[in-house]
C-alpha cells in the first residue's frame, strides 16, 4: 500500500511532464514542416555538416 502512495503521484507527475513537453514542442513550431523533414531525411546531399570529405578514385582527399 505504501508503494502505491509513491507510484501513483510519480506516474501522474511524469505524465504531466510529458504532456507539458509535447505542448511546448507544439507551440514552438517543432511539427510545422513535416514535408521538409521527410525530404531532408532521404536526400542525397553530401554537403552535411560534420560529414567527412569524399575521396577520389585513388583514395586522395
Amino acid at each position: 500500500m505504501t508503494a502505491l502512495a509513491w507510484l501513483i503521484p510519480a506516474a501522474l507527475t511524469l505524465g504531466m511532464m510529458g504532456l507539458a513537453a509535447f505542448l511546448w514542442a507544439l507551440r514552438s513550431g517543432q511539427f510545422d514542416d513535416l514535408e521538409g523533414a521527410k525530404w531532408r531525411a532521404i536526400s542525397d546531399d553530401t554537403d552535411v555538416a560534420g560529414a567527412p570529405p569524399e575521396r577520389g578514385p585513388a583514395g586522395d582527399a
Side-chain angles (χ1 to χ4, degrees):
M1 189 68 172
T2 306
L4 287 177
W6 287 98
L7 289 176
I8 291 175
L12 290 174
T13 302
L14 288 173
M16 293 302 280
M17 288 172 54
L19 180 63
F22 175 70
L23 292 175
W24 171 80
L26 275 178
R27 289 190 184 131
S28 67
Q30 296 291 321
F31 303 112
D32 284 349
D33 185 22
L34 295 179
E35 289 291 321
K38 175 175 58 177
W39 289 108
R40 279 191 302 274
I42 63 171
S43 70
D44 284 337
D45 289 341
T46 57
D47 189 24
V48 178
E54 293 197 24
R55 297 182 180 260
D60 298 330

